Amino acid sequence: MGTNVVSRASCRLGKALRGALAAGLLLGSATSIVPLGSALPASAADAPATVIARYQELIPQLMAEQGVPGLAVALVDRERALWVEGFGYRDHQGGAPVTADTIFSIQSISKLFTATAVLRAVAAGRLDLDEPITTYLPRFTVRSAFEAHPERKITLRMLLSHTAGFIHEAPVGNNNDLEPGDFDSHVRSISDTWLRFPVGSGYAYSNLGIDLAGYILQVVEGKPFAAAMRDSLLGPLRMAHSTFDRAVIRSNDNRAVGHVQPFPEPMLDVPMTAAGGLYTSAEDMTRFLRFQLDDGSIDGRAVLDPKPMEELRTVRAPKVGAPSGYALGVLRTRWNRWDERPDLFTHGGGGFGFISDLWWLPQLRLGIAILTNSQDHQLQQDLALSILRDLLTEPGAYRDRLLALPPRPPVVDPDLSEPPAGMANFVADAAMPTTGDEATRWATYSGSYRTPAWGVLPPTGLPDRFVVDGGVPYFEDNATGSLVRHRLVEVAPGVFLADNGETLDLRDPVPRWQGLRLVRVAGGPALWQWGVLGTAALLGAAWLVGAAVREVRRHVSRSASDQQPSASRRWRRIAALAALFTAVLTLGNAVRIARMPTLVDSGFLGWLDLPAAERLAAHLPLALAALGACTLVLVAAGWVLHWWSRALRLQYAVLAIASVAVVAQLAAWQLIGWGVS
């Protein structure tokens, strides 16, 4: 396979936020993905219509170019929806069309909804942003190499602003799990994770903090999280098609199906429920955007007072009040394209076959949401920002609102992946005293590891590695596609803290890095297994050469055996043909392993949505097993019935035994399977 099987953190802020910053879409002069039209509208009221018409024509073209089955757009002014429309289909088979009411998974945009619901509970006096979370969860604990009882210092404000120090994933119910599990089990497993830095000292984007905040909301409301969100936020906003409830999602016939290569059917249930479990429609997103643009009100009703709404939009410690950074469930910045630099708020979501974007500009009373049911496209950020840019460039009301703002200085968007100040000292201080047996212990950990994604170990790309160099342990992480070497310190026997604050736990039978399961891999066959494959390949090649020589001789001079009864001749020809294909498949399977030795760790991958040639190659072991069995039976019959000379019988027998040995080895590597649908 030519690409990674699945993103190791597909629900992260990554593409939606850090990607936008890195691409300069917020910092500089973002360009539209479609040129501005030459014909200008006759009046200000025509500007949205002009832009909408342009993109109604362009969006189907972009979807076709990038293989996006379905897309929905919601463009709003504070007072009304400007454009709500579905494009394409709910699944890749081209069935039912996407409508304004089709529900999509919006993944990490769910964090903003959870944060908003928590603030409603704060406004009602049921929660306090600055109380330790042990006030609400007295039995909750979390591990830390930096301080004792860190849970007693963590507050809801820290959870919602990603400053508590949690890692991104939990052992139970994460982006890579094959089974989602229930929300309660997922939250309980957070106690088995290690913090990345001392509480409150830095920023680390995390599903876990938001999930824990959602669980606290569940506890204080006394009802399941999905019901709490329905009653406390989705219902008051009259978002009738939106839900966190898995059963309701499954029962909705107007539901988009996620798509991500190479998985034919991404999982439907999102285990990080509060952080990524919301399904919603473009129509409903118009109401949420209008609620944000009207400072907590919609249709003349106050759902949340302006003061907590301001809390939501304020960047927290360690950079309190900064004009750019992560606030409570949302990223804020300024759009530096114009001198006026309007405030721009955003969150994105990607994973489980979906990518979505949410952006709004309060001072211009303008917002947009883009929902897609594909994870394999480059429209994220670009399409939404391009539409907004065109609206602000065309003469009209939105351009006038922009020009009416006073000029403001530019902002530098923060590096949201930057470790907190003093990280090196934090890590060094956490190291355990030396015990003298480190070299022996570390030697048992040395080797290669891979992280399974939805039950698949990717056979391509470099594996992660634990190495000891100059008496110092390192972990080489391949999460970004190239190895990044992290210096480690041991904080407990078998538990290592990396220079970026992540923990490598090698104590248990299931090792973990960043909270995700690691599988120790061989990287290829053992020496004796190479010997089996090499010998079998030579025998297969020799058989093919011998068969070619025998065929030439048969045409030159017909032997006495050719005068045997026709039935015997037919069976000999059948046996020869079976042996021929067995030899080809024996050789082919050996060559396939030689070209990609890591397949012995991955097992059968033919069930994935791979190109036809790769899927066919994945079934070569099964073909060899079937033909090898036929050849073995025919060789046994031919040996008993004396179809061939003694020398030829021996050659047939050797080929059959070689194929059996290869099949046995392929079966041990779990490479024999059937995945054609």
Side-chain angles (χ1 to χ4, degrees):
M1 291 159 21
T3 59
N4 288 337
V5 174
V6 71
S7 170
R8 290 174 63 175
S10 56
C11 195
R12 292 180 183 177
L13 192 61
K15 283 187 177 180
L17 302 182
R18 289 194 295 266
L21 303 181
L25 293 172
L26 306 182
L27 294 175
S29 56
T31 57
S32 175
I33 59 175
V34 59
L36 291 173
S38 56
L40 297 179
S43 67
D46 292 333
T50 301
V51 173
I52 290 168
R54 182 182 304 140
Y55 283 92
Q56 283 175 324
E57 181 178 349
L58 177 66
I59 285 174
Q61 299 174 23
L62 294 173
M63 292 171 64
E65 290 171 1
Q66 302 204 30
V68 179
L71 181 149
V73 58
L75 179 66
V76 307
D77 188 279
R78 185 176 67 189
E79 286 77 26
R80 68 192 187 283
L82 300 174
W83 179 27
V84 190
E85 189 172 357
F87 296 86
Y89 302 95
R90 299 198 304 245
D91 59 51
H92 71 283
Q93 297 173 344
V98 171
T99 69
D101 292 327
T102 299
I103 61 170
F104 290 75
S105 171
I106 60 169
Q107 295 291 304
S108 283
I109 300 177
S110 308
K111 293 176 172 64
L112 176 55
F113 284 79
T114 297
T116 306
V118 167
L119 284 174
R120 286 205 82 206
V122 170
R126 292 190 293 275
L127 290 173
D128 187 318
L129 286 176
D130 297 310
E131 273 288 308
I133 60 174
T134 49
T135 301
Y136 311 106
L137 303 176
R139 296 183 179 179
F140 175 77
T141 60
V142 67
R143 299 169 175 174
S144 175
F146 309 106
E147 56 201 325
H149 304 295
E151 62 277 356
R152 299 177 185 176
K153 303 177 182 178
I154 297 172
T155 65
L156 266 172
R157 194 186 300 276
M158 293 175 182
L159 297 183
L160 298 180
S161 60
H162 304 291
T163 56
F166 285 105
I167 62 173
H168 188 62
E169 304 278 12
V172 176
N174 56 59
N175 278 290
N176 288 22
D177 264 2
L178 195 57
E179 296 295 334
D182 62 78
F183 183 51
D184 289 7
S185 298
H186 164 70
V187 171
R188 283 195 299 271
S189 75
I190 295 175
S191 291
D192 295 328
T193 65
W194 294 77
L195 297 186
R196 289 189 60 183
F197 45 73
V199 173
S201 65
Y203 170 94
Y205 185 77
S206 169
N207 285 328
L208 307 190
I210 304 294
D211 280 331
L212 199 54
Y215 188 76
I216 290 172
L217 181 68
Q218 172 178 290
V219 169
V220 299
E221 296 290 352
K223 60 185 73 172
F225 175 74
M229 290 298 297
R230 178 196 64 210
D231 297 342
S232 65
L233 184 65
L234 302 177
L237 289 177
R238 297 177 185 171
M239 297 177 66
H241 301 286
S242 305
T243 183
F244 285 85
D245 191 308
R246 295 181 183 179
V248 175
I249 293 167
R250 287 183 174 276
S251 66
N252 192 322
D253 293 332
N254 193 5
R255 169 173 55 82
V257 178
H259 297 85
V260 56
Q261 290 287 343
F263 292 93
E265 293 185 15
M267 290 187 300
L268 174 60
D269 298 330
V270 178
M272 300 76 64
T273 307
L278 180 62
Y279 270 71
T280 188
S281 67
E283 184 67 47
D284 278 6
M285 288 301 284
T286 65
R287 301 193 62 79
F288 186 73
L289 279 166
R290 288 176 56 209
F291 159 78
Q292 291 290 343
L293 291 168
D294 204 12
D295 213 17
S297 296
I298 186 168
D299 298 333
R301 296 179 297 109
V303 177
L304 188 59
D305 291 337
K307 184 176 179 180
M309 291 296 290
E310 182 61 26
E311 286 267 14
L312 185 82
R313 298 189 294 261
T314 300
V315 176
R316 310 314 310 173
K319 298 182 180 180
V320 179
S324 182
Y326 201 94
L328 301 184
V330 67
L331 180 86
R332 72 173 297 155
T333 188
R334 291 177 186 169
W335 204 347
N336 285 337
R337 175 179 172 80
W338 293 278
D339 291 340
E340 295 78 11
R341 295 179 177 85
D343 291 328
L344 183 61
F345 292 86
T346 181
H347 213 299
F352 295 84
F354 294 90
I355 288 179
S356 299
D357 280 314
L358 182 68
W359 306 81
W360 73 91
L361 300 123
Q363 293 140 318
L364 306 182
R365 306 195 295 277
L366 187 62
I368 190 169
I370 301 288
L371 316 178
T372 74
N373 61 345
S374 171
Q375 205 176 322
D376 303 312
H377 63 79
Q378 302 301 316
L379 299 181
Q380 193 173 21
Q381 308 126 29
D382 294 352
L383 179 58
L385 286 174
S386 182
I387 294 171
L388 291 177
R389 172 191 179 275
D390 284 10
L391 276 173
L392 298 177
T393 304
E394 294 272 11
Y398 300 105
R399 175 76 175 164
D400 293 344
R401 292 176 189 176
L402 174 66
L403 297 178
L405 297 175
R408 293 198 295 180
V411 298
V412 177
D413 288 295
D415 181 359
L416 297 180
S417 61
E418 183 181 3
M423 190 72 221
N425 292 331
F426 295 151
V427 172
D429 292 344
M432 63 179 283
T434 58
T435 59
D437 62 346
E438 286 83 3
T440 302
R441 187 169 62 251
W442 296 348
T444 64
Y445 305 139
S446 296
S448 298
Y449 299 82
R450 288 188 185 272
T451 303
W454 294 353
V456 174
L457 285 176
T460 58
L462 296 172
D464 301 336
R465 293 199 310 148
F466 181 95
V467 298
V468 179
D469 188 354
V472 177
Y474 295 90
F475 190 70
E476 296 177 342
D477 179 20
N478 188 36
T480 61
S482 59
L483 287 179
V484 176
R485 175 173 274 204
H486 295 285
R487 186 185 179 103
L488 304 174
V489 301
E490 196 169 22
V491 297
V495 180
F496 298 85
L497 192 62
D499 49 20
N500 64 348
E502 295 285 2
T503 299
L504 175 67
D505 192 339
L506 299 176
R507 297 172 302 174
D508 300 326
V510 180
R512 294 191 179 274
W513 164 247
Q514 300 178 330
L516 297 174
R517 181 166 66 96
L518 293 176
V519 174
R520 196 160 189 168
V521 294
L527 185 60
W528 69 269
Q529 293 168 328
W530 279 121
V532 171
L533 287 176
T535 301
L538 288 174
L539 291 172
W543 175 267
L544 293 176
V545 172
V549 171
R550 287 192 296 274
E551 188 65 17
V552 170
R553 288 178 177 175
R554 190 176 70 83
H555 281 287
V556 172
S557 175
R558 298 177 67 84
S559 66
S561 62
D562 291 326
Q563 307 306 316
Q564 292 179 11
S566 59
S568 176
R569 269 202 313 274
R570 282 198 300 272
W571 280 110
R572 283 191 296 114
R573 297 298 294 171
I574 291 171
L577 193 61
L580 175 68
F581 283 111
T582 297
V584 170
L585 288 171
T586 299
L587 184 59
N589 276 284
V591 169
R592 181 168 177 257
I593 297 299
R595 294 187 63 181
M596 192 176 289
T598 50
L599 285 171
V600 305
D601 299 312
S602 300
F604 178 69
L605 300 176
W607 58 275
L608 294 173
D609 186 13
L610 302 171
E614 293 184 30
R615 179 173 283 196
L616 181 63
H619 287 82
L620 287 178
L622 178 63
L624 177 60
L627 267 173
C630 292
T631 300
L632 189 63
V633 171
L634 289 169
V635 168
W639 191 283
V640 172
L641 299 175
H642 299 283
W643 288 346
W644 311 287
S645 65
R646 181 180 295 274
L648 195 52
R649 287 204 302 269
L650 184 60
Q651 292 177 36
Y652 269 100
V654 169
L655 176 64
I657 293 171
S659 68
V660 168
V662 173
V663 168
Q665 193 58 68
L666 294 172
W669 291 326
Q670 299 182 356
L671 287 169
I672 299 176
W674 176 257
V676 177
S677 58

